[in-house]
Amino acid sequence: MCLRAIIYNRSRIPDPAGSDGSVAQSLIKAVRGTRDLLPPDTDTWNFVDAAARDCFRVYNFHEIRTPILEDLALFQRSVGEETDIVAKEMFAWEDRARAESEKGQWLALRPENTAGVVRAYIEHKLWERPGLQKLFYIGPQFRRERPQKGRYRQFYQIGAEIIGPPSSGSESPARDAEVLDMLAALLDRLGIEHVSLQLNSVGDPEDRRQYNVRLREALEPVAGQMCTDCRRRAVTNPLRVLDCKVPADQPIIGSLPRISDHLGPAAREHFEGLQRILQRLEIPYSINARLVRGLDYYVRTVFEFTHGALGAQNAILGGGRYDGLSEALGGPRSPGIGFAIGEDRLVMALAEAGAATARAPDVFIAPLGPGMNAEAARLAHELRRHDLIVETGDDSFRLKKLLETAARLGAHYAVIVGEDELATGQLALKDLSSGEQRQVPREELAARIIKN
Ligand code: HAM
C-alpha cells in the first residue's frame, strides 16, 4: 500500500511548549492547503449554497449528511487503489486499537462524497424505500494535493446523486439528462457564463476491459517516451494515461485508440438516448473522447463543466454514472449517477464575473445620546421583525462619525434617534446613496425602507 500514514503515537507528539519548556512564541497559522473563509466572501458562499438548495428542491432532491471520517477501505474499493486520489492524495492513518490484542482501524478523511453516500445507501437499506433516492450534500473534502490557485487540501463540494434499484428507473438516460439539466439551471441562476459541458461515455465494464487490452497494446511501444506516472499507469491502469496533463505526452495520447470506438451496443444506445434528451432540452455540449475522469467507479456517461477564466484548474464540476458501485461495496444492484461541484472554484468564477453578493445592512440606527441607546435597541428590534438587516451605532453619539460608519458598512439608510425625534414621533430617515433626508412617522418607517 503506497499510502503515507500518520501513525497516532503519543510518544511522537511534540510538546507545544518546546523541548526547553518555554512556550513557543511563533504564530500558529492555517495548515498548508487549507484556508479561512471570511466575510464578505462567506456571503458569496452562502449565496451559492442557497441557490443550490433552491435548485435541489425543485428537482426533488433531499439532503444527506455523511461523516467526514470513513473507513479507508471504502475509498480503496470505490474510487480505486490505482487512482491518484487514493494512491497519492489521501489523509489516512491507523487509528489506535481499542485493546492491545486488536489491530487499529485504518481511517481516512473523505476525498469525495459519492462513496460515503453509497455506503449510507447500503447501510440504511435505502433501496427498500419507494422510488429513487435523490440525495444532495454540501461539505468539505480532503486531498493531499500540491496547493495552487483553485486547488486546496481542504476544499468544498456541492454534490448530488440519483441511485436506486433498476426497477426505479435509475438506469435510464433520462436521469443523466435530469442531472445535467439541473446543473445547467443552477449555473444559469448564478449567472456563471463561459462554461462548457464536456461529455463522453466510458462504456460498460466489458467494453472497458476490451478497450484496456487495446490501450495496453498501443502503449507498449511508446510508454517509455512518456512521463513516470504514465509509464506506471500504462501497466497498472492504462485508462488513467488519458488524464495525463504533461504537455510532452499529449501527441502520444492523441494518437491512442478512442474509447468511443469500443462501446458495446447497450452503452452506445444509452449515450445516444442521453444526447437526444439533451438536444430536446437545448443544453449545449461537446463530446470529448478523451474524458475518462480520475475515479475508477465510472461506467457509461462521464462529464465535466469547464470554465474559461479559471486557468489550469478549470474543471468547475465533474460527474458520471456508477452503475456497479453499490455491488462493489456489498449492496444490491443499484445504478446511479451524480456530480460534484468544486465550490471553491465556483465562488472564484463568480468573483471573476464581478457578481455582487456581499450583504450590507438595510438600515443603520444612529443614537444621539446615552439616553437614546434603549430607544435605538427598541427600534432595531422592531425593524428586524420586518426582516430588515439592521446595525446600530456605537457610543460616540456624534452624528458625523455615526454617518461615516454607516457609509463604510454600505448601509442603504440611516435613522437618527434623538430627543427631538422621540418627542415628535417623527424619525429622520437618510438615504445614504442620494443624501436625501426626510422625517418619517415611526410607524411608517419599516414600510418606507422596504418600499425603496
Ligand atoms: P472530482 O472530479 O474528483 O469528482 O471532483 C469534483 C470537483 O471537485 C472537481 O471538478 C473540482 O471542481 C473540485 N475539486 C476536486 N479536487 C479539488 C481540490 N483539491 N481543490 C479544489 N477543488 C477540487 C468527484 O469528487 C466525484 N465524487 C463526483 C461525482 C459525484 N461523480 C458522481 N457523483
Side-chain angles (χ1 to χ4, degrees):
M1 177 156 40
C2 42
L3 291 162
R4 277 198 233 160
I6 309 161
I7 312 284
Y8 187 85
N9 178 342
R10 268 217 159 273
S11 64
R12 289 179 49 198
I13 296 179
D15 183 348
S19 52
D20 60 355
S22 66
V23 177
Q25 288 302 310
S26 60
L27 286 179
I28 297 172
K29 295 196 173 152
V31 171
R32 183 171 137 82
T34 73
R35 58 198 182 129
D36 302 306
L37 303 173
L38 307 172
D41 296 351
T42 39
D43 288 347
T44 314
W45 285 76
N46 287 330
F47 171 75
V48 169
D49 286 352
R53 284 176 188 277
D54 278 354
C55 222
F56 290 138
R57 190 175 59 78
V58 294
Y59 283 80
N60 198 27
F61 281 73
H62 294 268
E63 184 168 6
I64 181 167
R65 298 188 191 191
T66 63
I68 285 168
L69 205 55
E70 294 273 7
D71 191 319
L72 170 62
L74 174 65
F75 304 110
Q76 292 171 311
R77 282 167 58 184
S78 57
V79 175
E81 289 223 69
E82 265 307 316
T83 59
D84 281 355
I85 295 176
V86 173
K88 296 188 195 167
E89 299 167 1
M90 296 282 282
F91 284 97
W93 66 96
E94 190 180 14
D95 200 33
R96 263 185 305 177
R98 274 171 299 183
E100 293 244 322
S101 54
E102 282 181 25
K103 284 181 80 178
Q105 186 187 12
W106 278 84
L107 301 178
L109 296 183
R110 63 182 185 197
E112 60 102 56
N113 216 163
T114 310
V117 169
V118 177
R119 179 202 46 72
Y121 171 86
I122 298 167
E123 193 167 331
H124 303 286
K125 295 190 171 57
L126 297 186
W127 71 85
E128 288 181 348
R129 298 186 180 186
L132 286 164
Q133 292 303 303
K134 297 172 80 176
L135 305 165
F136 79 85
Y137 48 83
I138 301 178
Q141 319 292 332
F142 302 84
R143 296 183 193 176
R144 193 200 293 275
E145 295 197 79
R146 195 169 47 78
Q148 65 179 79
K149 185 177 173 222
R151 194 163 70 189
Y152 307 98
R153 291 183 164 188
Q154 173 170 339
F155 60 99
Y156 294 81
Q157 285 187 340
I158 300 177
E161 316 289 348
I162 303 184
I163 181 169
S167 59
S168 64
S170 54
E171 216 167 353
S172 165
R175 293 305 169 187
D176 308 42
E178 182 179 14
V179 156
L180 291 168
D181 183 47
M182 179 165 76
L183 280 168
L186 175 58
L187 295 176
D188 189 46
R189 185 190 194 117
L190 290 170
I192 304 265
E193 291 172 343
H194 315 296
V195 279
S196 90
L197 165 57
Q198 315 266 316
L199 197 61
N200 197 19
S201 173
V202 291
D204 283 313
E206 186 47 37
D207 309 337
R208 275 236 299 284
R209 251 187 296 282
Q210 289 180 20
Y211 177 63
N212 266 325
V213 173
R214 285 291 318 281
L215 209 51
R216 265 207 185 87
E217 285 168 6
L219 279 166
E220 212 182 299
V222 291
Q225 304 156 38
M226 302 182 81
C227 70
T228 340
D229 276 343
C230 280
R231 261 179 274 159
R232 179 175 52 82
R233 291 172 184 145
V235 182
T236 56
N237 195 347
L239 209 62
R240 294 275 79 81
V241 170
L242 303 185
D243 282 338
C244 173
K245 302 279 186 310
V246 174
D249 289 352
Q250 300 311 307
I252 297 178
I253 294 169
S255 67
L256 294 171
R258 288 162 171 247
I259 195 151
S260 48
D261 298 327
H262 293 80
L263 297 184
R268 188 176 300 279
E269 199 181 307
H270 192 273
F271 197 36
E272 285 167 2
L274 167 60
Q275 291 179 65
R276 274 195 297 277
I277 307 176
L278 290 182
Q279 283 153 19
R280 183 73 186 91
L281 290 170
E282 298 180 22
I283 296 175
Y285 63 90
S286 47
I287 307 260
N288 176 353
R290 278 189 47 191
L291 183 69
V292 289
R293 309 259 307 124
L295 302 94
D296 278 355
Y297 50 59
Y298 289 120
V299 294
R300 299 190 176 183
T301 313
V302 289
F303 58 86
E304 276 181 6
F305 276 76
T306 53
H307 188 275
L310 286 184
Q313 304 305 320
N314 68 352
I316 209 161
L317 67 92
R321 235 177 211 287
Y322 44 85
D323 294 349
L325 183 53
S326 169
E327 286 155 294
L329 294 175
R333 176 156 169 71
S334 297
I337 173 138
F339 65 83
I341 301 171
E343 193 172 6
D344 305 72
R345 297 185 192 173
L346 189 62
V347 166
M348 207 186 291
L350 268 181
E352 306 263 350
T357 50
R359 214 186 50 203
D362 295 307
V363 52
F364 183 93
I365 299 177
L368 290 190
M372 294 300 111
N373 262 348
E375 280 312 315
R378 175 74 207 173
L379 187 60
H381 173 88
E382 284 167 18
L383 294 176
R384 285 170 180 147
R385 289 288 165 101
H386 290 275
D387 210 27
L388 290 167
I389 306 171
V390 182
E391 194 49 80
T392 46
D394 59 28
D395 280 2
S396 73
F397 309 123
R398 282 174 28 228
L399 187 57
K400 184 160 178 290
K401 179 165 185 270
L402 288 165
L403 291 180
E404 278 168 9
T405 307
R408 220 175 31 243
L409 292 177
H412 299 289
Y413 288 97
V415 176
I416 298 156
V417 183
E419 302 277 357
D420 294 349
E421 282 78 8
L422 277 192
T424 59
Q426 299 270 330
L427 296 170
L429 178 67
K430 189 176 178 74
D431 182 329
L432 291 169
S433 47
S434 68
E436 189 190 333
Q437 183 170 321
R438 59 177 64 184
Q439 298 298 113
V440 178
R442 183 182 179 129
E443 59 280 8
E444 288 175 24
L445 200 58
R448 189 69 67 89
I449 295 169
I450 292 165
K451 198 170 109 213
N452 295 313

mmCIF file of all heavy atoms in Angstrom, residues 404-424:
data_model
loop_
_atom_site.group_PDB
_atom_site.id
_atom_site.type_symbol
_atom_site.label_atom_id
_atom_site.label_comp_id
_atom_site.label_asym_id
_atom_site.label_seq_id
_atom_site.Cartn_x
_atom_site.Cartn_y
_atom_site.Cartn_z
ATOM 1 N N GLU A 404 -20.584 58.354 9.034
ATOM 2 C CA GLU A 404 -19.401 57.811 8.335
ATOM 3 C C GLU A 404 -19.342 56.288 8.493
ATOM 4 O O GLU A 404 -19.074 55.563 7.537
ATOM 5 C CB GLU A 404 -18.120 58.431 8.906
ATOM 6 C CG GLU A 404 -17.814 59.789 8.322
ATOM 7 C CD GLU A 404 -16.720 60.524 9.109
ATOM 8 O OE1 GLU A 404 -16.082 59.904 10.003
ATOM 9 O OE2 GLU A 404 -16.554 61.718 8.835
ATOM 10 N N THR A 405 -19.614 55.829 9.695
ATOM 11 C CA THR A 405 -19.610 54.368 9.937
ATOM 12 C C THR A 405 -20.674 53.696 9.063
ATOM 13 O O THR A 405 -20.424 52.665 8.424
ATOM 14 C CB THR A 405 -19.903 54.061 11.421
ATOM 15 O OG1 THR A 405 -19.002 54.796 12.203
ATOM 16 C CG2 THR A 405 -19.792 52.588 11.721
ATOM 17 N N ALA A 406 -21.870 54.305 9.027
ATOM 18 C CA ALA A 406 -22.967 53.725 8.238
ATOM 19 C C ALA A 406 -22.563 53.616 6.771
ATOM 20 O O ALA A 406 -22.807 52.588 6.119
ATOM 21 C CB ALA A 406 -24.208 54.599 8.381
ATOM 22 N N ALA A 407 -21.898 54.646 6.253
ATOM 23 C CA ALA A 407 -21.482 54.636 4.845
ATOM 24 C C ALA A 407 -20.418 53.563 4.624
ATOM 25 O O ALA A 407 -20.440 52.843 3.621
ATOM 26 C CB ALA A 407 -20.946 56.014 4.453
ATOM 27 N N ARG A 408 -19.494 53.434 5.580
ATOM 28 C CA ARG A 408 -18.424 52.441 5.437
ATOM 29 C C ARG A 408 -18.997 51.017 5.414
ATOM 30 O O ARG A 408 -18.490 50.139 4.723
ATOM 31 C CB ARG A 408 -17.427 52.598 6.588
ATOM 32 C CG ARG A 408 -16.012 52.421 6.126
ATOM 33 C CD ARG A 408 -14.945 52.674 7.164
ATOM 34 N NE ARG A 408 -15.308 52.379 8.511
ATOM 35 C CZ ARG A 408 -15.379 53.294 9.480
ATOM 36 N NH1 ARG A 408 -15.134 54.550 9.220
ATOM 37 N NH2 ARG A 408 -15.706 52.937 10.701
ATOM 38 N N LEU A 409 -20.050 50.792 6.151
ATOM 39 C CA LEU A 409 -20.680 49.459 6.174
ATOM 40 C C LEU A 409 -21.532 49.205 4.930
ATOM 41 O O LEU A 409 -22.031 48.113 4.721
ATOM 42 C CB LEU A 409 -21.569 49.319 7.416
ATOM 43 C CG LEU A 409 -20.865 49.288 8.764
ATOM 44 C CD1 LEU A 409 -21.884 49.216 9.894
ATOM 45 C CD2 LEU A 409 -19.920 48.095 8.856
ATOM 46 N N GLY A 410 -21.745 50.256 4.134
ATOM 47 C CA GLY A 410 -22.551 50.108 2.912
ATOM 48 C C GLY A 410 -24.041 50.112 3.191
ATOM 49 O O GLY A 410 -24.831 49.637 2.359
ATOM 50 N N ALA A 411 -24.443 50.643 4.373
ATOM 51 C CA ALA A 411 -25.879 50.664 4.714
ATOM 52 C C ALA A 411 -26.646 51.522 3.701
ATOM 53 O O ALA A 411 -26.113 52.501 3.178
ATOM 54 C CB ALA A 411 -26.055 51.230 6.119
ATOM 55 N N HIS A 412 -27.881 51.124 3.428
ATOM 56 C CA HIS A 412 -28.686 51.890 2.469
ATOM 57 C C HIS A 412 -29.287 53.136 3.130
ATOM 58 O O HIS A 412 -29.373 54.183 2.513
ATOM 59 C CB HIS A 412 -29.803 51.009 1.902
ATOM 60 C CG HIS A 412 -29.263 49.826 1.179
ATOM 61 N ND1 HIS A 412 -28.622 49.932 -0.031
ATOM 62 C CD2 HIS A 412 -29.202 48.516 1.515
ATOM 63 C CE1 HIS A 412 -28.226 48.735 -0.415
ATOM 64 N NE2 HIS A 412 -28.555 47.854 0.511
ATOM 65 N N TYR A 413 -29.694 52.993 4.397
ATOM 66 C CA TYR A 413 -30.328 54.110 5.103
ATOM 67 C C TYR A 413 -29.696 54.287 6.474
ATOM 68 O O TYR A 413 -29.180 53.328 7.050
ATOM 69 C CB TYR A 413 -31.817 53.830 5.331
ATOM 70 C CG TYR A 413 -32.642 53.907 4.084
ATOM 71 C CD1 TYR A 413 -32.970 52.761 3.375
ATOM 72 C CD2 TYR A 413 -33.099 55.137 3.612
ATOM 73 C CE1 TYR A 413 -33.730 52.829 2.226
ATOM 74 C CE2 TYR A 413 -33.856 55.215 2.461
ATOM 75 C CZ TYR A 413 -34.170 54.069 1.778
ATOM 76 O OH TYR A 413 -34.911 54.145 0.646
ATOM 77 N N ALA A 414 -29.814 55.504 6.999
ATOM 78 C CA ALA A 414 -29.521 55.732 8.411
ATOM 79 C C ALA A 414 -30.780 56.326 9.040
ATOM 80 O O ALA A 414 -31.488 57.107 8.397
ATOM 81 C CB ALA A 414 -28.343 56.684 8.561
ATOM 82 N N VAL A 415 -31.050 55.919 10.270
ATOM 83 C CA VAL A 415 -32.169 56.513 11.005
ATOM 84 C C VAL A 415 -31.590 57.191 12.236
ATOM 85 O O VAL A 415 -30.813 56.567 12.978
ATOM 86 C CB VAL A 415 -33.194 55.441 11.446
ATOM 87 C CG1 VAL A 415 -34.290 56.082 12.286
ATOM 88 C CG2 VAL A 415 -33.801 54.754 10.258
ATOM 89 N N ILE A 416 -31.939 58.453 12.427
ATOM 90 C CA ILE A 416 -31.380 59.205 13.543
ATOM 91 C C ILE A 416 -32.382 59.204 14.701
ATOM 92 O O ILE A 416 -33.560 59.525 14.520
ATOM 93 C CB ILE A 416 -31.049 60.639 13.087
ATOM 94 C CG1 ILE A 416 -29.989 60.555 11.973
ATOM 95 C CG2 ILE A 416 -30.548 61.492 14.248
ATOM 96 C CD1 ILE A 416 -29.959 61.737 11.059
ATOM 97 N N VAL A 417 -31.878 58.790 15.867
ATOM 98 C CA VAL A 417 -32.752 58.709 17.042
ATOM 99 C C VAL A 417 -32.230 59.691 18.098
ATOM 100 O O VAL A 417 -31.202 59.441 18.733
ATOM 101 C CB VAL A 417 -32.771 57.275 17.624
ATOM 102 C CG1 VAL A 417 -33.748 57.185 18.790
ATOM 103 C CG2 VAL A 417 -33.148 56.264 16.550
ATOM 104 N N GLY A 418 -32.909 60.833 18.237
ATOM 105 C CA GLY A 418 -32.524 61.849 19.232
ATOM 106 C C GLY A 418 -33.746 62.275 20.036
ATOM 107 O O GLY A 418 -34.874 61.816 19.766
ATOM 108 N N GLU A 419 -33.518 63.180 21.014
ATOM 109 C CA GLU A 419 -34.607 63.663 21.885
ATOM 110 C C GLU A 419 -35.765 64.226 21.052
ATOM 111 O O GLU A 419 -36.922 63.885 21.270
ATOM 112 C CB GLU A 419 -34.087 64.785 22.809
ATOM 113 C CG GLU A 419 -32.919 64.392 23.689
ATOM 114 C CD GLU A 419 -33.376 63.677 24.955
ATOM 115 O OE1 GLU A 419 -34.597 63.554 25.143
ATOM 116 O OE2 GLU A 419 -32.500 63.215 25.718
ATOM 117 N N ASP A 420 -35.418 65.082 20.056
ATOM 118 C CA ASP A 420 -36.454 65.749 19.260
ATOM 119 C C ASP A 420 -37.292 64.741 18.500
ATOM 120 O O ASP A 420 -38.521 64.829 18.439
ATOM 121 C CB ASP A 420 -35.811 66.708 18.236
ATOM 122 C CG ASP A 420 -35.109 67.847 18.931
ATOM 123 O OD1 ASP A 420 -35.315 67.991 20.158
ATOM 124 O OD2 ASP A 420 -34.344 68.566 18.254
ATOM 125 N N GLU A 421 -36.605 63.772 17.918
ATOM 126 C CA GLU A 421 -37.298 62.754 17.123
ATOM 127 C C GLU A 421 -38.301 61.997 17.989
ATOM 128 O O GLU A 421 -39.424 61.720 17.571
ATOM 129 C CB GLU A 421 -36.292 61.769 16.510
ATOM 130 C CG GLU A 421 -35.547 62.266 15.284
ATOM 131 C CD GLU A 421 -34.422 63.222 15.625
ATOM 132 O OE1 GLU A 421 -34.107 63.387 16.827
ATOM 133 O OE2 GLU A 421 -33.869 63.832 14.689
ATOM 134 N N LEU A 422 -37.841 61.657 19.209
ATOM 135 C CA LEU A 422 -38.732 60.905 20.100
ATOM 136 C C LEU A 422 -39.947 61.729 20.494
ATOM 137 O O LEU A 422 -41.075 61.237 20.512
ATOM 138 C CB LEU A 422 -37.973 60.494 21.361
ATOM 139 C CG LEU A 422 -37.128 59.230 21.249
ATOM 140 C CD1 LEU A 422 -36.686 58.815 22.641
ATOM 141 C CD2 LEU A 422 -37.923 58.102 20.591
ATOM 142 N N ALA A 423 -39.693 63.015 20.776
ATOM 143 C CA ALA A 423 -40.776 63.893 21.235
ATOM 144 C C ALA A 423 -41.848 64.042 20.161
ATOM 145 O O ALA A 423 -43.050 64.024 20.446
ATOM 146 C CB ALA A 423 -40.195 65.255 21.612
ATOM 147 N N THR A 424 -41.424 64.142 18.891
ATOM 148 C CA THR A 424 -42.397 64.371 17.808
ATOM 149 C C THR A 424 -42.929 63.078 17.211
ATOM 150 O O THR A 424 -43.901 63.091 16.460
ATOM 151 C CB THR A 424 -41.736 65.182 16.675
ATOM 152 O OG1 THR A 424 -40.616 64.427 16.205
ATOM 153 C CG2 THR A 424 -41.300 66.555 17.142
#
